[in-house]
Amino acid sequence: SPDRQIYHCFGCQAGGNAFNFLIQYERMEFPEAVEMLAKKAGVSLPESQKQDSKASGLITQLYKINELTALFYESNLNSPSGLEAKKYLLNRGINEMTVKLFKLGYASSNWDTLINHLRNKNIHLSLLEKAGLVLAKDGGGYYDRFRDRIIFPIFDIKSRVLAFGARLVPDTGKAAGKDDSPKYVNSPETPIYIKGRNLYGLNFAKDAIRENDYVVIVEGYLDFIMPYQGGQKNIVASLGTALTIEQARLIKRYTHNVVMVYDADDAGQMATLRTLDIFIEEGMNVKVVSLPEGFDPDLFVRKNGIGNFKEKINQAENLFDYKLKILKSRYSIKDIEAKALISSEMLLTINRFKNSILKSEYIKRLAQELDVKEDALLQELSKIKEVKPYSDLGAGSPDRKALNINPTEKLLIKLMLEENELISHIRERLEPEDFQDERASRIVSLMFDLIGQGKNIEPNKLINYLDDNSISQIICESTLLPQIPSQNKENVVNDCIQRLKNKRLRTKKQRLHEQIKTAQASRDEEKLHSLMQEFHCLIKEREE
């Protein structure tokens, strides 16, 4: 809600104001969020506060260290020590402009080059370890994680350096006897980098993705760089073989249409199959490109040109055809058991479609392809238990409990947030303790206090007083409930107040019943007499 300056997701229950959004979604600390919003709004912060916000917090320090590291590796690539690495990149068709755009770099073969460089900038080794740039030795001390490798900085959506990918330089690797070394070494997960929540190149591609209303997804760094250099600007890399639900949702911010291009090997095909259901779950449209055997996007563009690559994308198959083709290539549909296996695999995917018409059409097509009766497939489909969304399968998103707050309490909070005059009116008839939910009681108590001080109540400002995510969720969800017609508002308020009073009286009555039973069982006459008096007063209060 731009007017109220708050947001709320009724699916995952996330909510808050602009500061909360940046803190939660962009993984910022509060000072960073303040600085970014001030810049966006054209508000000048005092210089001392700017300095404090830049220097404070581990997150800010890690971004700074990564930026310094990227610059260091970039300068190394253009130094004599990086000659072989630079030559390798140029021979693969990556031009100087692309090298500069993506800040490609080189880590020398020495064990402590980066350590010594950053030590001279007064950066502590413990911070380098937290950034994933160094490794601890068994006997004490540290050494550089990346050595004799081409460096690919990994950026977030705001082009800040999150982490690094590093590729072995083939010729120098062999010369140093490193044939057994892995081709790629990547940064570990850190406080600012979680692999499954980022996409390589999205900061460069986001505008083109919006303009074209689809995204091409590849797997590796060079698979992204070569097509991008050739003009396929709406492209990202998944930083691994299988996409996560967070990556799918990140893409969904820019488009609902996906074209996946993976290697033609078995690993690539299976990764694609595992990924398809994630996109279905998110209600996205997916197509898949099959490259010739032995080709990845990087090699295909180098051998066949960007024009042929774009043509392949235009000829992409829909997900149903692709998955069925892969399964039929592995299992013979002439074999009854294989046919059953193919159908069960396809039905698992079909079952994830939320649209009944799509389900029906795909069942019809599957029956034709496998030469089986639709009724049989529908029977098998009915046996599949309702699938859990990927977001419920531990895909890396933070757990959020349902609010489980009394609708009457939530509605009263909404009405008070809309009209400050109602707060005084309600304060005369209710106490914060009348709200059974402890979080609602805190919200109401704060509103009563603020209105007593003559302050206006605004949802986005109220959130800042209460450092509790669940309370922020309640405020946002209550605010964004459907509007109550003005002619009905007074009746709704009175009804809500009466409901809460009755609920509190019932709760008190039940509590007194239990206490009276206990007093009778223990034969505490004095306590029993006091409780009976309190009970009669409660009955009288209810009658009034």
Side-chain angles (χ1 to χ4, degrees), residues 286-290 312 315-319 321-322 325:
V286 192
K287 292 185 176 182
V288 186
V289 169
S290 294
K312 280 282 185 185
Q315 296 169 354
E317 300 172 275
N318 67 51
L319 62 91
D321 291 335
Y322 179 81
K325 182 180 76 174

Side-chain angles (χ1 to χ4, degrees), residues 1 3-4 411 414-415 417-419 477-489 492:
S1 173
D3 292 340
R4 298 184 181 100
L411 183 55
K414 171 189 172 58
L415 293 168
L417 288 170
E418 284 182 347
E419 295 185 27
E477 185 171 317
S478 301
T479 303
L480 297 173
L481 286 172
Q483 291 294 314
I484 305 294
S486 56
Q487 63 268 27
N488 298 337
K489 197 166 288 186
V492 170

Side-chain angles (χ1 to χ4, degrees), residues 254 297 455:
Y254 304 95
K455 295 181 179 179

Side-chain angles (χ1 to χ4, degrees), residues 49-67:
Q49 290 183 20
K50 284 186 181 181
Q51 293 299 328
D52 289 343
S53 73
K54 286 179 180 176
S56 65
L58 174 64
I59 301 297
T60 307
Q61 292 181 70
L62 294 181
Y63 278 122
K64 180 183 176 182
I65 289 168
N66 282 349
E67 191 64 38

Side-chain angles (χ1 to χ4, degrees), residues 286-342:
V286 192
K287 292 185 176 182
V288 186
V289 169
S290 294
L291 294 177
E293 189 173 350
F295 282 87
D296 57 22
D298 165 41
L299 181 60
F300 187 89
V301 171
R302 284 190 283 127
K303 294 288 186 182
N304 301 294
I306 192 65
N308 286 318
F309 183 75
K310 289 182 176 181
E311 189 177 338
K312 280 282 185 185
I313 290 168
N314 292 333
Q315 296 169 354
E317 300 172 275
N318 67 51
L319 62 91
F320 180 92
D321 291 335
Y322 179 81
K323 183 170 184 177
L324 186 59
K325 182 180 76 174
I326 297 300
L327 290 170
K328 285 169 73 175
S329 71
R330 294 171 182 230
Y331 310 103
S332 172
I333 59 170
K334 294 179 181 178
D335 182 85
I336 296 174
E337 290 182 357
K339 189 181 290 190
L341 190 150
I342 293 172

Side-chain angles (χ1 to χ4, degrees), residues 30-200:
F30 183 72
E32 292 180 290
V34 171
E35 188 171 355
M36 181 178 177
L37 288 172
K39 186 176 180 181
K40 191 175 182 67
V43 176
S44 179
L45 293 176
E47 194 61 32
S48 59
Q49 290 183 20
K50 284 186 181 181
Q51 293 299 328
D52 289 343
S53 73
K54 286 179 180 176
S56 65
L58 174 64
I59 301 297
T60 307
Q61 292 181 70
L62 294 181
Y63 278 122
K64 180 183 176 182
I65 289 168
N66 282 349
E67 191 64 38
L68 290 172
T69 300
L71 289 171
F72 176 67
Y73 287 145
E74 190 177 7
S75 66
N76 280 353
L77 185 65
N78 295 299
S79 71
S81 66
L83 184 62
E84 289 299 321
K86 184 72 171 286
K87 188 186 298 183
Y88 172 77
L89 289 172
L90 295 176
N91 287 341
R92 286 196 65 140
I94 298 173
N95 62 42
E96 291 276 5
M97 190 179 298
T98 299
V99 169
K100 187 175 181 180
L101 177 64
F102 297 113
K103 297 184 178 179
L104 304 186
Y106 172 69
S108 72
S109 57
N110 295 332
W111 290 78
D112 56 3
T113 308
L114 179 65
I115 289 175
N116 292 332
H117 174 72
L118 293 179
R119 264 180 176 168
N120 291 332
K121 295 187 178 294
N122 298 318
I123 295 174
H124 200 275
L125 280 169
S126 63
L127 284 173
L128 296 185
E129 187 175 23
K130 286 185 174 71
L133 295 169
V134 299
L135 295 165
K137 296 178 183 177
D138 292 337
Y142 294 89
Y143 61 93
D144 292 353
R145 178 182 292 274
F146 306 120
R147 300 178 310 282
D148 195 18
R149 290 177 180 272
I150 296 165
I151 300 294
F152 301 86
I154 300 168
F155 304 94
D156 67 8
I157 198 66
K158 295 186 294 181
S159 296
R160 298 179 297 180
V161 181
L162 290 171
F164 299 90
R167 190 197 195 284
L168 197 67
V169 183
D171 294 339
T172 56
K174 288 178 182 177
K178 301 176 191 169
D179 287 343
D180 59 340
S181 298
K183 184 187 290 186
Y184 283 95
V185 174
N186 299 300
S187 291
E189 294 198 345
T190 69
I192 63 172
Y193 176 61
I194 297 176
K195 182 179 180 181
R197 294 184 184 174
N198 296 278
L199 289 158
Y200 182 70

Side-chain angles (χ1 to χ4, degrees), residues 381-508:
L381 187 67
S382 68
K383 294 177 185 177
I384 300 175
K385 292 180 180 179
E386 187 176 348
V387 291
K388 287 186 176 182
Y390 275 88
S391 54
D392 292 342
L393 299 177
S397 56
D399 294 331
R400 294 187 182 276
K401 295 181 181 178
L403 293 177
N404 294 328
I405 182 172
N406 185 317
T408 303
E409 297 183 8
K410 194 158 57 175
L411 183 55
L412 264 184
I413 289 171
K414 171 189 172 58
L415 293 168
M416 286 191 281
L417 288 170
E418 284 182 347
E419 295 185 27
N420 282 192
E421 293 79 8
L422 280 177
I423 300 174
S424 299
H425 171 68
I426 292 169
R427 187 171 61 164
E428 293 172 0
R429 301 176 61 187
L430 288 176
E431 298 290 334
E433 293 74 22
D434 289 320
F435 290 76
Q436 299 290 304
D437 190 288
E438 185 270 337
R439 299 162 299 178
S441 179
R442 284 180 63 191
I443 294 168
V444 172
S445 178
L446 177 61
M447 284 198 282
F448 285 175
D449 289 344
L450 292 176
I451 209 72
Q453 299 169 27
K455 295 181 179 179
N456 285 330
I457 309 298
E458 296 178 27
N460 63 318
K461 293 179 181 176
L462 194 64
I463 289 167
N464 293 331
Y465 284 94
L466 298 160
D467 187 18
D468 186 317
N469 285 337
S470 64
I471 290 179
S472 295
Q473 293 169 36
I474 291 170
I475 291 171
C476 294
E477 185 171 317
S478 301
T479 303
L480 297 173
L481 286 172
Q483 291 294 314
I484 305 294
S486 56
Q487 63 268 27
N488 298 337
K489 197 166 288 186
E490 185 178 349
N491 291 336
V492 170
V493 170
N494 291 333
D495 183 59
C496 286
I497 290 172
Q498 195 57 52
R499 283 171 182 267
L500 290 192
K501 281 188 170 184
N502 292 342
K503 174 72 174 175
R504 191 178 186 196
L505 284 170
R506 284 196 300 271
T507 303
K508 278 185 177 180

